[in-house]
Amino acid sequence: MRKSLKTLSFALLIILATSTCFELGLWQWHRAQGMAKFQKPQPERSVVELAKAASAGSNLRNTAFNRLVTFNASYEKNYVAPNQLVTFTDGTQSRKDLVVSLARLADNRAVLVVRGIYEGTFPQKQSSARVNGRLYPRQNVDQAEGGVGKLSRLDPALVAGDSGFTLFDGYVIATGGQIAAPQLLSQGGAFYWQHIAYVITWWFMGLLILSFPFYNRFRDAKLKGE
Amino acid sequence: MNFLKFNREGALARFRLMANIAGVMSLLLWLVYLPIKLTAVNDNVATPIRLIAVVHGFMYMVYVLSAFNYSLSVRKPFFSMLGYLAAGTLPIASFVADRRARAEYAALTGGSNLPE
């Protein structure tokens, strides 16, 4: 009875460890696929309502990155995001200060919208606007010093304290102005192979763990063979 | 060329070779790759530095195979074999495992035919 309980516990441990290794390999596989996907431009998908691509108050899903979105909103507050790398519609790039507005949607939800280049003044408040643009993941690196009315990076977390709205993760670059909203591409070619290496390592470890229950049998067989 | 032999001596030579390679890779991983990765802005790590992690991963797999093979050939108990496998994950531990394996082998064979 005690021996069978020990065997059962060992078997469960092996199954648990093997499946953990397999799941970790699978997770790395999905990360590698995600990297590969964002290394080259993807065919544009149809424009969707923002609420269908993302949910306010929750993390932006990978599938929502680079989506062209549309929504009705009123611009509530304006900020400056200094020193942002901007792509213009003629394809040139340079660092500029951007006008970023908090766009309020129905049900007290809001999203950050990049509206254009900051030239000393903010655009007038609009009570209702149809916004078209592309959805991007939040920036996690400061591009400049922050301050009152200044966003050091394009990240809704920076305005969460002074808005009182439920915020969408990420931000939208509004299209139709002088700023282009190109697809965001990953620059890390080596990342892909690093994740593939981890996939192989984890699955190999899983297979190795599967062989553990037979270790003593292998060892004893070797002993008899000698 | 002891590490090409399919016997106990060859298994020890292969294990010792891989223990030293895995030890060096482990030191590079812990003392070079990880500090750079953890302090990098936006995970921006140069490709040669990333290669340390990739090469370490593959070297560890070969180390694990050689440790498994060595443990079988000298009939080590199961948990002792696990200790050898785990030694490849920590810096210096695989060098300790190498020394221990040499001492075990010497005790097993009376000090004869110790592969260099």
Side-chain angles (χ1 to χ4, degrees):
Chain A
M1 177 69 183
R2 198 173 168 186
K3 195 183 173 194
S4 59
L5 201 66
K6 203 175 160 186
T7 309
L8 187 70
S9 313
F10 186 64
L12 281 175
L13 197 69
I14 292 292
I15 291 168
L16 187 72
T18 305
S19 53
T20 303
C21 286
F22 181 75
E23 281 297 323
L24 284 168
L26 208 59
W27 173 58
Q28 290 292 342
W29 173 255
H30 289 144
R31 289 189 72 183
Q33 296 309 305
M35 288 284 169
K37 188 178 174 185
F38 290 110
Q39 278 175 4
K40 51 183 186 249
Q42 298 295 303
E44 290 292 2
R45 289 170 288 174
S46 56
V47 182
V48 289
E49 282 289 331
L50 176 62
K52 285 188 180 166
S55 307
S58 57
N59 285 334
L60 201 60
R61 294 187 303 269
N62 278 4
T63 51
F65 292 0
N66 288 333
R67 287 296 312 246
L68 289 169
V69 292
T70 183
F71 53 95
N72 285 315
S74 59
Y75 290 118
E76 295 287 331
K77 284 185 175 180
N78 293 316
Y79 303 91
V80 182
N83 196 38
Q84 290 284 341
L85 186 64
V86 177
T87 305
F88 293 94
T89 45
D90 62 3
T92 57
Q93 286 189 321
S94 65
R95 291 213 168 256
K96 296 280 181 190
D97 296 350
L98 296 177
V99 174
V100 182
S101 299
L102 195 61
R104 180 184 182 176
L105 290 81
D107 300 330
N108 222 30
R109 295 168 302 162
V111 64
L112 281 181
V113 178
V114 174
R115 297 173 67 186
I117 306 294
Y118 179 69
E119 287 164 345
T121 54
F122 288 116
Q124 289 199 329
K125 273 197 171 184
Q126 275 180 278
S127 56
S128 179
R130 185 74 185 165
V131 182
N132 297 300
R134 192 186 294 281
L135 189 57
Y136 294 90
R138 64 180 177 271
Q139 293 179 341
N140 47 24
V141 179
D142 285 349
Q143 307 293 315
E145 290 280 318
V148 178
K150 275 188 179 179
L151 301 179
S152 55
R153 60 181 189 275
L154 296 170
D155 181 354
L158 299 179
V159 299
D162 63 339
S163 71
F165 302 126
T166 308
L167 297 171
F168 283 89
D169 191 12
Y171 63 96
V172 172
I173 294 184
T175 49
Q178 57 187 136
I179 297 177
Q183 289 187 17
L184 188 68
L185 302 178
S186 166
Q187 302 297 314
F191 294 161
Y192 177 78
W193 290 108
Q194 191 176 2
H195 289 302
I196 292 294
Y198 293 156
V199 171
I200 296 168
T201 308
W202 280 121
W203 286 354
F204 167 80
M205 291 306 289
L207 282 176
L208 190 81
I209 290 169
L210 267 184
S211 75
F212 283 175
F214 309 104
Y215 176 78
N216 287 344
R217 205 171 294 172
F218 290 153
R219 192 188 56 182
D220 297 345
K222 211 169 172 60
L223 194 64
K224 278 180 193 164
E226 282 177 7
Chain B
M1 299 297 271
N2 279 322
F3 58 86
L4 293 179
K5 291 179 185 168
F6 285 99
N7 56 14
R8 211 157 56 180
E9 202 180 324
L12 176 67
R14 281 190 292 278
F15 174 70
R16 292 196 58 208
L17 177 73
M18 287 318 302
N20 284 291
I21 292 174
V24 170
M25 289 313 302
S26 211
L27 282 173
L28 286 173
L29 187 84
W30 285 80
L31 302 180
V32 179
Y33 172 77
L34 283 177
I36 290 175
K37 183 182 163 59
L38 294 175
T39 54
V41 173
N42 200 18
D43 209 20
N44 190 13
V45 178
T47 303
I49 301 296
R50 282 190 180 280
L51 279 178
I52 292 174
V54 176
V55 173
H56 173 265
F58 285 115
M59 287 297 116
Y60 181 67
M61 283 196 285
V62 183
Y63 167 82
V64 157
L65 279 179
S66 65
F68 197 74
N69 176 236
Y70 168 72
S71 301
L72 273 178
S73 68
V74 295
R75 301 165 213 145
K76 290 192 77 62
F78 178 73
F79 286 102
S80 183
M81 180 271 292
L82 281 187
Y84 273 134
L85 300 194
T89 60
L90 296 170
I92 303 172
S94 63
F95 297 126
V96 175
D98 169 40
R99 286 179 69 89
R100 185 168 292 181
R102 277 194 75 181
E104 276 173 1
Y105 190 86
L108 201 69
T109 59
S112 64
N113 297 325
L114 194 63
E116 284 303 319

PDB file of all heavy atoms in Angstrom, chain B residues 16-46:
ATOM      1  N   ARG B  16      33.360  15.308 -18.139  1.00  0.00           N
ATOM      2  CA  ARG B  16      34.302  16.327 -17.677  1.00  0.00           C
ATOM      3  C   ARG B  16      34.419  17.473 -18.681  1.00  0.00           C
ATOM      4  O   ARG B  16      34.442  18.647 -18.313  1.00  0.00           O
ATOM      5  CB  ARG B  16      35.681  15.700 -17.441  1.00  0.00           C
ATOM      6  CG  ARG B  16      35.691  14.732 -16.267  1.00  0.00           C
ATOM      7  CD  ARG B  16      37.093  14.458 -15.828  1.00  0.00           C
ATOM      8  NE  ARG B  16      37.755  15.691 -15.451  1.00  0.00           N
ATOM      9  CZ  ARG B  16      39.063  15.894 -15.522  1.00  0.00           C
ATOM     10  NH1 ARG B  16      39.858  14.941 -15.956  1.00  0.00           N
ATOM     11  NH2 ARG B  16      39.585  17.037 -15.166  1.00  0.00           N
ATOM     12  N   LEU B  17      34.457  17.095 -19.978  1.00  0.00           N
ATOM     13  CA  LEU B  17      34.536  18.119 -21.027  1.00  0.00           C
ATOM     14  C   LEU B  17      33.307  19.036 -20.959  1.00  0.00           C
ATOM     15  O   LEU B  17      33.423  20.266 -20.933  1.00  0.00           O
ATOM     16  CB  LEU B  17      34.619  17.442 -22.405  1.00  0.00           C
ATOM     17  CG  LEU B  17      34.646  18.381 -23.610  1.00  0.00           C
ATOM     18  CD1 LEU B  17      36.006  19.069 -23.716  1.00  0.00           C
ATOM     19  CD2 LEU B  17      34.362  17.630 -24.911  1.00  0.00           C
ATOM     20  N   MET B  18      32.127  18.399 -20.891  1.00  0.00           N
ATOM     21  CA  MET B  18      30.894  19.192 -20.894  1.00  0.00           C
ATOM     22  C   MET B  18      30.713  19.967 -19.586  1.00  0.00           C
ATOM     23  O   MET B  18      30.158  21.062 -19.596  1.00  0.00           O
ATOM     24  CB  MET B  18      29.670  18.298 -21.146  1.00  0.00           C
ATOM     25  CG  MET B  18      29.543  17.796 -22.563  1.00  0.00           C
ATOM     26  SD  MET B  18      29.909  19.029 -23.831  1.00  0.00           S
ATOM     27  CE  MET B  18      28.722  20.308 -23.454  1.00  0.00           C
ATOM     28  N   ALA B  19      31.183  19.408 -18.473  1.00  0.00           N
ATOM     29  CA  ALA B  19      31.055  20.128 -17.189  1.00  0.00           C
ATOM     30  C   ALA B  19      31.852  21.431 -17.243  1.00  0.00           C
ATOM     31  O   ALA B  19      31.390  22.462 -16.754  1.00  0.00           O
ATOM     32  CB  ALA B  19      31.550  19.249 -16.046  1.00  0.00           C
ATOM     33  N   ASN B  20      33.024  21.388 -17.867  1.00  0.00           N
ATOM     34  CA  ASN B  20      33.836  22.607 -17.956  1.00  0.00           C
ATOM     35  C   ASN B  20      33.239  23.608 -18.941  1.00  0.00           C
ATOM     36  O   ASN B  20      33.218  24.811 -18.656  1.00  0.00           O
ATOM     37  CB  ASN B  20      35.281  22.250 -18.324  1.00  0.00           C
ATOM     38  CG  ASN B  20      36.017  21.670 -17.120  1.00  0.00           C
ATOM     39  OD1 ASN B  20      36.289  22.373 -16.154  1.00  0.00           O
ATOM     40  ND2 ASN B  20      36.295  20.378 -17.148  1.00  0.00           N
ATOM     41  N   ILE B  21      32.739  23.096 -20.075  1.00  0.00           N
ATOM     42  CA  ILE B  21      32.110  24.008 -21.046  1.00  0.00           C
ATOM     43  C   ILE B  21      30.855  24.633 -20.422  1.00  0.00           C
ATOM     44  O   ILE B  21      30.644  25.849 -20.485  1.00  0.00           O
ATOM     45  CB  ILE B  21      31.761  23.265 -22.363  1.00  0.00           C
ATOM     46  CG1 ILE B  21      33.051  22.865 -23.088  1.00  0.00           C
ATOM     47  CG2 ILE B  21      30.903  24.149 -23.267  1.00  0.00           C
ATOM     48  CD1 ILE B  21      32.831  21.998 -24.320  1.00  0.00           C
ATOM     49  N   ALA B  22      30.017  23.792 -19.800  1.00  0.00           N
ATOM     50  CA  ALA B  22      28.780  24.304 -19.182  1.00  0.00           C
ATOM     51  C   ALA B  22      29.104  25.276 -18.050  1.00  0.00           C
ATOM     52  O   ALA B  22      28.398  26.268 -17.851  1.00  0.00           O
ATOM     53  CB  ALA B  22      27.932  23.146 -18.657  1.00  0.00           C
ATOM     54  N   GLY B  23      30.193  25.017 -17.327  1.00  0.00           N
ATOM     55  CA  GLY B  23      30.600  25.916 -16.236  1.00  0.00           C
ATOM     56  C   GLY B  23      30.980  27.293 -16.760  1.00  0.00           C
ATOM     57  O   GLY B  23      30.556  28.314 -16.214  1.00  0.00           O
ATOM     58  N   VAL B  24      31.760  27.293 -17.864  1.00  0.00           N
ATOM     59  CA  VAL B  24      32.167  28.576 -18.453  1.00  0.00           C
ATOM     60  C   VAL B  24      30.937  29.315 -18.983  1.00  0.00           C
ATOM     61  O   VAL B  24      30.767  30.522 -18.753  1.00  0.00           O
ATOM     62  CB  VAL B  24      33.213  28.345 -19.581  1.00  0.00           C
ATOM     63  CG1 VAL B  24      33.457  29.620 -20.362  1.00  0.00           C
ATOM     64  CG2 VAL B  24      34.513  27.825 -18.996  1.00  0.00           C
ATOM     65  N   MET B  25      30.043  28.563 -19.675  1.00  0.00           N
ATOM     66  CA  MET B  25      28.833  29.198 -20.232  1.00  0.00           C
ATOM     67  C   MET B  25      27.935  29.718 -19.104  1.00  0.00           C
ATOM     68  O   MET B  25      27.307  30.766 -19.236  1.00  0.00           O
ATOM     69  CB  MET B  25      28.039  28.211 -21.103  1.00  0.00           C
ATOM     70  CG  MET B  25      28.690  27.853 -22.427  1.00  0.00           C
ATOM     71  SD  MET B  25      29.301  29.263 -23.371  1.00  0.00           S
ATOM     72  CE  MET B  25      27.838  30.255 -23.588  1.00  0.00           C
ATOM     73  N   SER B  26      27.898  28.972 -18.023  1.00  0.00           N
ATOM     74  CA  SER B  26      27.077  29.379 -16.886  1.00  0.00           C
ATOM     75  C   SER B  26      27.617  30.670 -16.263  1.00  0.00           C
ATOM     76  O   SER B  26      26.851  31.575 -15.908  1.00  0.00           O
ATOM     77  CB  SER B  26      27.099  28.256 -15.852  1.00  0.00           C
ATOM     78  OG  SER B  26      25.907  28.234 -15.166  1.00  0.00           O
ATOM     79  N   LEU B  27      28.954  30.757 -16.165  1.00  0.00           N
ATOM     80  CA  LEU B  27      29.564  31.983 -15.629  1.00  0.00           C
ATOM     81  C   LEU B  27      29.254  33.176 -16.533  1.00  0.00           C
ATOM     82  O   LEU B  27      28.915  34.263 -16.056  1.00  0.00           O
ATOM     83  CB  LEU B  27      31.084  31.810 -15.511  1.00  0.00           C
ATOM     84  CG  LEU B  27      31.581  31.008 -14.312  1.00  0.00           C
ATOM     85  CD1 LEU B  27      33.087  30.777 -14.415  1.00  0.00           C
ATOM     86  CD2 LEU B  27      31.262  31.740 -13.010  1.00  0.00           C
ATOM     87  N   LEU B  28      29.363  32.941 -17.860  1.00  0.00           N
ATOM     88  CA  LEU B  28      29.047  34.019 -18.808  1.00  0.00           C
ATOM     89  C   LEU B  28      27.584  34.440 -18.683  1.00  0.00           C
ATOM     90  O   LEU B  28      27.257  35.619 -18.742  1.00  0.00           O
ATOM     91  CB  LEU B  28      29.331  33.568 -20.253  1.00  0.00           C
ATOM     92  CG  LEU B  28      30.797  33.488 -20.679  1.00  0.00           C
ATOM     93  CD1 LEU B  28      30.929  32.873 -22.063  1.00  0.00           C
ATOM     94  CD2 LEU B  28      31.416  34.887 -20.696  1.00  0.00           C
ATOM     95  N   LEU B  29      26.713  33.423 -18.506  1.00  0.00           N
ATOM     96  CA  LEU B  29      25.275  33.720 -18.403  1.00  0.00           C
ATOM     97  C   LEU B  29      24.977  34.553 -17.163  1.00  0.00           C
ATOM     98  O   LEU B  29      24.264  35.562 -17.239  1.00  0.00           O
ATOM     99  CB  LEU B  29      24.480  32.410 -18.347  1.00  0.00           C
ATOM    100  CG  LEU B  29      22.967  32.571 -18.403  1.00  0.00           C
ATOM    101  CD1 LEU B  29      22.509  32.685 -19.846  1.00  0.00           C
ATOM    102  CD2 LEU B  29      22.255  31.402 -17.753  1.00  0.00           C
ATOM    103  N   TRP B  30      25.509  34.150 -16.031  1.00  0.00           N
ATOM    104  CA  TRP B  30      25.182  34.817 -14.759  1.00  0.00           C
ATOM    105  C   TRP B  30      25.929  36.135 -14.585  1.00  0.00           C
ATOM    106  O   TRP B  30      25.401  37.070 -13.990  1.00  0.00           O
ATOM    107  CB  TRP B  30      25.498  33.889 -13.571  1.00  0.00           C
ATOM    108  CG  TRP B  30      24.495  32.801 -13.419  1.00  0.00           C
ATOM    109  CD1 TRP B  30      24.442  31.643 -14.138  1.00  0.00           C
ATOM    110  CD2 TRP B  30      23.383  32.747 -12.518  1.00  0.00           C
ATOM    111  NE1 TRP B  30      23.373  30.881 -13.737  1.00  0.00           N
ATOM    112  CE2 TRP B  30      22.712  31.526 -12.743  1.00  0.00           C
ATOM    113  CE3 TRP B  30      22.901  33.606 -11.531  1.00  0.00           C
ATOM    114  CZ2 TRP B  30      21.581  31.139 -12.031  1.00  0.00           C
ATOM    115  CZ3 TRP B  30      21.766  33.232 -10.814  1.00  0.00           C
ATOM    116  CH2 TRP B  30      21.119  32.010 -11.074  1.00  0.00           C
ATOM    117  N   LEU B  31      27.162  36.196 -15.082  1.00  0.00           N
ATOM    118  CA  LEU B  31      27.972  37.396 -14.808  1.00  0.00           C
ATOM    119  C   LEU B  31      28.002  38.394 -15.960  1.00  0.00           C
ATOM    120  O   LEU B  31      28.396  39.545 -15.766  1.00  0.00           O
ATOM    121  CB  LEU B  31      29.409  36.982 -14.442  1.00  0.00           C
ATOM    122  CG  LEU B  31      29.548  36.043 -13.239  1.00  0.00           C
ATOM    123  CD1 LEU B  31      31.002  35.711 -12.968  1.00  0.00           C
ATOM    124  CD2 LEU B  31      28.912  36.655 -11.980  1.00  0.00           C
ATOM    125  N   VAL B  32      27.623  37.963 -17.166  1.00  0.00           N
ATOM    126  CA  VAL B  32      27.626  38.899 -18.303  1.00  0.00           C
ATOM    127  C   VAL B  32      26.205  39.115 -18.841  1.00  0.00           C
ATOM    128  O   VAL B  32      25.688  40.235 -18.823  1.00  0.00           O
ATOM    129  CB  VAL B  32      28.554  38.389 -19.444  1.00  0.00           C
ATOM    130  CG1 VAL B  32      28.529  39.352 -20.632  1.00  0.00           C
ATOM    131  CG2 VAL B  32      29.973  38.212 -18.934  1.00  0.00           C
ATOM    132  N   TYR B  33      25.571  38.021 -19.294  1.00  0.00           N
ATOM    133  CA  TYR B  33      24.265  38.155 -19.949  1.00  0.00           C
ATOM    134  C   TYR B  33      23.186  38.717 -19.016  1.00  0.00           C
ATOM    135  O   TYR B  33      22.523  39.693 -19.358  1.00  0.00           O
ATOM    136  CB  TYR B  33      23.830  36.793 -20.514  1.00  0.00           C
ATOM    137  CG  TYR B  33      22.413  36.781 -21.032  1.00  0.00           C
ATOM    138  CD1 TYR B  33      22.095  37.346 -22.265  1.00  0.00           C
ATOM    139  CD2 TYR B  33      21.368  36.222 -20.296  1.00  0.00           C
ATOM    140  CE1 TYR B  33      20.800  37.356 -22.744  1.00  0.00           C
ATOM    141  CE2 TYR B  33      20.064  36.219 -20.766  1.00  0.00           C
ATOM    142  CZ  TYR B  33      19.788  36.781 -21.990  1.00  0.00           C
ATOM    143  OH  TYR B  33      18.501  36.793 -22.466  1.00  0.00           O
ATOM    144  N   LEU B  34      23.028  38.093 -17.856  1.00  0.00           N
ATOM    145  CA  LEU B  34      21.924  38.513 -16.971  1.00  0.00           C
ATOM    146  C   LEU B  34      22.055  39.956 -16.466  1.00  0.00           C
ATOM    147  O   LEU B  34      21.081  40.700 -16.518  1.00  0.00           O
ATOM    148  CB  LEU B  34      21.761  37.532 -15.803  1.00  0.00           C
ATOM    149  CG  LEU B  34      21.064  36.216 -16.200  1.00  0.00           C
ATOM    150  CD1 LEU B  34      21.007  35.269 -15.024  1.00  0.00           C
ATOM    151  CD2 LEU B  34      19.666  36.470 -16.733  1.00  0.00           C
ATOM    152  N   PRO B  35      23.257  40.397 -15.992  1.00  0.00           N
ATOM    153  CA  PRO B  35      23.345  41.812 -15.576  1.00  0.00           C
ATOM    154  C   PRO B  35      23.029  42.776 -16.718  1.00  0.00           C
ATOM    155  O   PRO B  35      22.347  43.776 -16.511  1.00  0.00           O
ATOM    156  CB  PRO B  35      24.805  41.961 -15.130  1.00  0.00           C
ATOM    157  CG  PRO B  35      25.231  40.589 -14.772  1.00  0.00           C
ATOM    158  CD  PRO B  35      24.495  39.669 -15.681  1.00  0.00           C
ATOM    159  N   ILE B  36      23.504  42.441 -17.937  1.00  0.00           N
ATOM    160  CA  ILE B  36      23.235  43.339 -19.078  1.00  0.00           C
ATOM    161  C   ILE B  36      21.741  43.327 -19.402  1.00  0.00           C
ATOM    162  O   ILE B  36      21.125  44.364 -19.607  1.00  0.00           O
ATOM    163  CB  ILE B  36      24.082  42.928 -20.311  1.00  0.00           C
ATOM    164  CG1 ILE B  36      25.549  43.255 -20.042  1.00  0.00           C
ATOM    165  CG2 ILE B  36      23.596  43.642 -21.573  1.00  0.00           C
ATOM    166  CD1 ILE B  36      26.514  42.792 -21.111  1.00  0.00           C
ATOM    167  N   LYS B  37      21.149  42.137 -19.411  1.00  0.00           N
ATOM    168  CA  LYS B  37      19.725  42.035 -19.751  1.00  0.00           C
ATOM    169  C   LYS B  37      18.852  42.741 -18.708  1.00  0.00           C
ATOM    170  O   LYS B  37      17.913  43.456 -19.048  1.00  0.00           O
ATOM    171  CB  LYS B  37      19.316  40.565 -19.858  1.00  0.00           C
ATOM    172  CG  LYS B  37      17.869  40.380 -20.290  1.00  0.00           C
ATOM    173  CD  LYS B  37      17.488  38.923 -20.339  1.00  0.00           C
ATOM    174  CE  LYS B  37      15.996  38.728 -20.359  1.00  0.00           C
ATOM    175  NZ  LYS B  37      15.320  39.363 -21.482  1.00  0.00           N
ATOM    176  N   LEU B  38      19.196  42.557 -17.440  1.00  0.00           N
ATOM    177  CA  LEU B  38      18.355  43.132 -16.382  1.00  0.00           C
ATOM    178  C   LEU B  38      18.480  44.648 -16.285  1.00  0.00           C
ATOM    179  O   LEU B  38      17.578  45.309 -15.777  1.00  0.00           O
ATOM    180  CB  LEU B  38      18.674  42.477 -15.034  1.00  0.00           C
ATOM    181  CG  LEU B  38      18.298  40.986 -14.945  1.00  0.00           C
ATOM    182  CD1 LEU B  38      18.749  40.393 -13.635  1.00  0.00           C
ATOM    183  CD2 LEU B  38      16.800  40.784 -15.123  1.00  0.00           C
ATOM    184  N   THR B  39      19.600  45.193 -16.772  1.00  0.00           N
ATOM    185  CA  THR B  39      19.754  46.654 -16.704  1.00  0.00           C
ATOM    186  C   THR B  39      19.480  47.313 -18.059  1.00  0.00           C
ATOM    187  O   THR B  39      19.515  48.536 -18.154  1.00  0.00           O
ATOM    188  CB  THR B  39      21.175  47.040 -16.236  1.00  0.00           C
ATOM    189  OG1 THR B  39      22.121  46.385 -17.087  1.00  0.00           O
ATOM    190  CG2 THR B  39      21.431  46.636 -14.811  1.00  0.00           C
ATOM    191  N   ALA B  40      19.205  46.497 -19.085  1.00  0.00           N
ATOM    192  CA  ALA B  40      18.986  47.066 -20.429  1.00  0.00           C
ATOM    193  C   ALA B  40      17.660  47.809 -20.488  1.00  0.00           C
ATOM    194  O   ALA B  40      16.683  47.410 -19.849  1.00  0.00           O
ATOM    195  CB  ALA B  40      18.998  45.962 -21.465  1.00  0.00           C
ATOM    196  N   VAL B  41      17.668  48.901 -21.232  1.00  0.00           N
ATOM    197  CA  VAL B  41      16.439  49.657 -21.433  1.00  0.00           C
ATOM    198  C   VAL B  41      15.628  48.956 -22.523  1.00  0.00           C
ATOM    199  O   VAL B  41      16.144  48.655 -23.596  1.00  0.00           O
ATOM    200  CB  VAL B  41      16.780  51.101 -21.864  1.00  0.00           C
ATOM    201  CG1 VAL B  41      15.524  51.873 -22.240  1.00  0.00           C
ATOM    202  CG2 VAL B  41      17.514  51.801 -20.750  1.00  0.00           C
ATOM    203  N   ASN B  42      14.366  48.674 -22.229  1.00  0.00           N
ATOM    204  CA  ASN B  42      13.451  48.075 -23.194  1.00  0.00           C
ATOM    205  C   ASN B  42      13.978  46.744 -23.752  1.00  0.00           C
ATOM    206  O   ASN B  42      13.821  46.454 -24.941  1.00  0.00           O
ATOM    207  CB  ASN B  42      13.186  49.064 -24.341  1.00  0.00           C
ATOM    208  CG  ASN B  42      11.919  48.720 -25.088  1.00  0.00           C
ATOM    209  OD1 ASN B  42      11.080  47.975 -24.589  1.00  0.00           O
ATOM    210  ND2 ASN B  42      11.774  49.259 -26.274  1.00  0.00           N
ATOM    211  N   ASP B  43      14.667  45.966 -22.926  1.00  0.00           N
ATOM    212  CA  ASP B  43      15.162  44.653 -23.331  1.00  0.00           C
ATOM    213  C   ASP B  43      16.099  44.735 -24.543  1.00  0.00           C
ATOM    214  O   ASP B  43      16.182  43.811 -25.340  1.00  0.00           O
ATOM    215  CB  ASP B  43      13.969  43.734 -23.646  1.00  0.00           C
ATOM    216  CG  ASP B  43      14.312  42.277 -23.384  1.00  0.00           C
ATOM    217  OD1 ASP B  43      15.275  42.030 -22.638  1.00  0.00           O
ATOM    218  OD2 ASP B  43      13.627  41.397 -23.928  1.00  0.00           O
ATOM    219  N   ASN B  44      16.780  45.873 -24.667  1.00  0.00           N
ATOM    220  CA  ASN B  44      17.625  46.098 -25.835  1.00  0.00           C
ATOM    221  C   ASN B  44      19.021  45.533 -25.579  1.00  0.00           C
ATOM    222  O   ASN B  44      19.905  46.216 -25.092  1.00  0.00           O
ATOM    223  CB  ASN B  44      17.671  47.608 -26.105  1.00  0.00           C
ATOM    224  CG  ASN B  44      18.311  47.919 -27.428  1.00  0.00           C
ATOM    225  OD1 ASN B  44      18.508  47.026 -28.250  1.00  0.00           O
ATOM    226  ND2 ASN B  44      18.653  49.169 -27.633  1.00  0.00           N
ATOM    227  N   VAL B  45      19.197  44.258 -25.927  1.00  0.00           N
ATOM    228  CA  VAL B  45      20.463  43.561 -25.669  1.00  0.00           C
ATOM    229  C   VAL B  45      21.086  43.184 -27.010  1.00  0.00           C
ATOM    230  O   VAL B  45      20.397  42.670 -27.891  1.00  0.00           O
ATOM    231  CB  VAL B  45      20.223  42.296 -24.816  1.00  0.00           C
ATOM    232  CG1 VAL B  45      21.514  41.546 -24.586  1.00  0.00           C
ATOM    233  CG2 VAL B  45      19.595  42.676 -23.491  1.00  0.00           C
ATOM    234  N   ALA B  46      22.384  43.468 -27.163  1.00  0.00           N
ATOM    235  CA  ALA B  46      23.068  43.191 -28.436  1.00  0.00           C
ATOM    236  C   ALA B  46      23.037  41.699 -28.748  1.00  0.00           C
ATOM    237  O   ALA B  46      23.055  40.864 -27.839  1.00  0.00           O
ATOM    238  CB  ALA B  46      24.501  43.686 -28.353  1.00  0.00           C
TER     239      ALA B  46
END
